[in-house]
């Protein structure tokens, strides 16, 4: 779901169900997007990261993020 961007997050709902759902992130970010969840949102664990400004840009990074946050892109 994360890779195809077809997860129950704000950007998906805004595209396919405009006006029907709240599209803000629970952390109060304006729009809940895949990039926000992976790289910015304070609500998700990133225990494996040692850097302050880290962006997930590899499949290995994505796998580790999803292992730490198995419900991040789930219904």
């Amino acid at each position: 779901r994360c890779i195809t961007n077809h997860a129950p997050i704000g950007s998906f709902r805004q595209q396919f169900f405009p006006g029907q759902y709240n599209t803000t992130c629970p952390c109060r970010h304006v729009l809940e997007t895949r990039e926000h969840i992976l790289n910015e949102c304070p609500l998700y664990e990133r225990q494996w990261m040692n850097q302050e400004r880290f962006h997930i840009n590899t499949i290995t990074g994505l796998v580790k993020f999803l292992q730490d946050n198995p419900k991040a892109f789930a219904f």
Side-chain angles (χ1 to χ4, degrees), residues 29-55:
H29 189 265
V30 175
L31 180 62
E32 183 183 39
T33 64
R34 173 178 54 192
E35 297 303 317
H36 170 71
I37 292 170
L38 292 175
N39 299 311
E40 302 167 6
C41 189
L43 301 178
Y44 294 98
E45 299 276 334
R46 291 175 187 84
Q47 297 176 0
W48 52 274
M49 293 182 357
N50 294 326
Q51 304 166 357
E52 285 184 28
R53 302 275 304 158
F54 183 85
H55 291 282

